[in-house]
Amino acid sequence: NLTLLSVGEGITGYRDDSLETVKRNEVQYGLPLRIVSYKELYGWTMDEIVREVGRKNNCTFCGVFRRQALDRGAALEKVDRIVTGHNADDIAETVVMNILRGDVARLQRCTAVTTSGGETIPRSKPFKYTYEKEIVMYAYFKKLDYFSTECIYSPNAYRGHARAFLKDLESIRSTSIIDIIHSGDSLAFRKNVKFPTLGTCSQCGYISSQTLCKACVLLQGLNKGLPRLAVGKTNTSK
Amino acid sequence: SDLLWSRVNKTSLKLAERSISVEFSGGAELLFGNVKKHRIRLPARETAWNLGSLLIWLRDNLLRERPELFVQGETVRPGILVLINDTDWELLGQTQYELADEDTIVFISTLHGG
């Protein structure tokens, strides 16, 4: 049994249009649709957050909030598994980003097809080995209704640089994307490397490696008028 | 065949103009005045029109902004898919493909965030 789950971040000119597309998908595929919004979950839309925080590090807020929003929406739907559309390009970009940031904890997890942790609903990425090109071509030939406009806050995103780098690499060596995923899969860590242990957030109960989960810390900052709290380089995990 | 040979000698060395359709999607249309479908007539010239020369022509005549988002060097920016009559251009020689009348070229960008 499949259900569509969509997250409304509250981004004018982007998410409002893509939610219209998902509503059409609901009809086209005959699948039930649930939409959860940042506004109802956190009290803030992304537009409001960007007004507070400025144009940098927006994806930090959005990514953290969306992850939790998906888990909360899935729990409301009482599903057994969450399936996301991450493709080979996405995963290779993530490996590159995590290497550039030295994020060892994420490097260990980011190529896994299925991830689970504690009480959260397991997630799978069935398109791990499917190139974005294949997906776009498939959608084109099947005339699938999909949304492809860029998020208005993404031009400044770090991932864009990783993507451009990856596509340039691919033009020199066509197996780059699959090779990088393979490298991510094969990464092994020395025994003396410390990894964070997973617990729960003391405030909201969500899975977290710190006392307070990232979403709660970010929200605290927003609500106190300290929008830079827990954002950017100076706040790597302690 | 003598008649044919004299005809060939008399015709101009210029190759025929080309009438083609060009489509943009996946966000690429934003660089071209947000218009997805274009009918284009390429003028006659001495060397055949190929995809490479079409790219230059598009950049110089149809592109409204930010050429670096469409063209990189002699080819499209990596991440933009090209279809020639619904076939992946990688199977048809990419920029070396010579245009024929009524060809449809589609550019689909995959370089959007979010």
Side-chain angles (χ1 to χ4, degrees), chain A residues 74-86:
Chain A
L76 285 170
E77 287 294 313
K78 298 184 173 42
V79 297
D80 304 300
R81 186 170 292 264
I82 299 169
V83 166
T84 57
H86 292 97

Side-chain angles (χ1 to χ4, degrees), chain A residues 14-15 89 132-134 136-137 140-141 146-151 154 160 163-164 167-168 171, chain B residues 23 25-27 30 72 77-79 81-83 86-88 90 106 108 110-114:
Chain A
Y14 171 67
R15 190 52 79 191
D89 293 48
E132 184 160 5
K133 173 175 175 172
E134 295 177 281
V136 172
M137 291 291 208
Y140 175 79
F141 286 114
Y146 75 99
F147 186 76
S148 62
T149 303
E150 183 166 74
C151 174
S154 73
R163 177 154 184 77
K167 294 318 270 185
D168 283 342
S171 66
Chain B
E23 294 178 24
S25 69
L30 296 172
Q72 188 165 299
R77 188 172 170 221
L81 309 178
V82 186
L83 294 171
D86 273 358
T87 303
D88 186 348
E90 291 191 31
V106 180
I108 310 174
T110 66
L111 298 164
H112 37 78

Side-chain angles (χ1 to χ4, degrees), chain A residues 38-235:
Chain A
Y38 286 1
K39 190 69 184 178
E40 68 193 356
L41 286 172
Y42 310 115
W44 289 77
T45 63
M46 269 313 293
D47 285 343
E48 289 164 357
I49 291 172
V50 174
R51 248 170 268 149
E52 273 291 302
V53 169
R55 283 286 189 137
K56 281 193 105 176
N57 296 313
N58 307 137
C59 298
T60 300
F61 285 85
C62 199
V64 169
F65 286 166
R66 184 178 321 101
R67 195 186 201 287
Q68 237 197 73
L70 278 176
D71 279 330
R72 299 218 185 271
L76 285 170
E77 287 294 313
K78 298 184 173 42
V79 297
D80 304 300
R81 186 170 292 264
I82 299 169
V83 166
T84 57
H86 292 97
N87 59 49
D89 293 48
D90 295 326
I91 291 176
E93 287 160 22
T94 303
V95 172
V96 167
M97 286 168 72
N98 287 332
I99 287 175
L100 291 174
R101 288 167 165 170
D103 193 329
V104 160
R106 286 196 167 85
L107 262 179
Q108 198 194 28
R109 301 190 301 260
C110 68
T111 54
V113 167
T114 297
T115 49
S116 53
E119 302 275 301
T120 53
I121 301 169
R123 280 175 191 230
S124 298
K125 300 183 172 98
F127 294 120
K128 174 182 171 182
Y129 296 111
T130 312
Y131 292 113
E132 184 160 5
K133 173 175 175 172
E134 295 177 281
I135 293 170
V136 172
M137 291 291 208
Y138 182 86
Y140 175 79
F141 286 114
K142 291 287 211 174
K143 297 184 177 19
L144 299 181
D145 187 358
Y146 75 99
F147 186 76
S148 62
T149 303
E150 183 166 74
C151 174
I152 54 177
Y153 301 125
S154 73
N156 303 318
Y158 193 62
R159 181 173 287 270
H161 301 301
R163 177 154 184 77
F165 174 65
L166 206 64
K167 294 318 270 185
D168 283 342
L169 263 184
E170 197 184 25
S171 66
I172 303 168
R173 172 171 152 163
S174 54
T175 53
S176 294
I177 288 175
I178 284 292
D179 291 343
I180 288 173
I181 296 174
H182 178 70
S183 295
D185 282 338
S186 310
L187 279 171
F189 298 90
R190 275 204 281 255
K191 290 202 175 76
N192 61 345
V193 173
K194 257 193 186 167
F195 289 102
T197 46
L198 290 177
T200 51
C201 174
S202 58
Q203 189 147 302
C204 72
Y206 192 64
I207 186 175
S208 174
S209 59
Q210 315 290 321
T211 337
L212 280 183
C213 74
K214 189 77 168 180
C216 283
V217 176
L218 291 175
L219 269 173
Q220 238 177 37
L222 284 173
N223 290 326
K224 279 187 187 166
L226 297 166
R228 309 297 303 158
L229 186 66
V231 169
K233 284 182 200 159
T234 52
N235 201 69

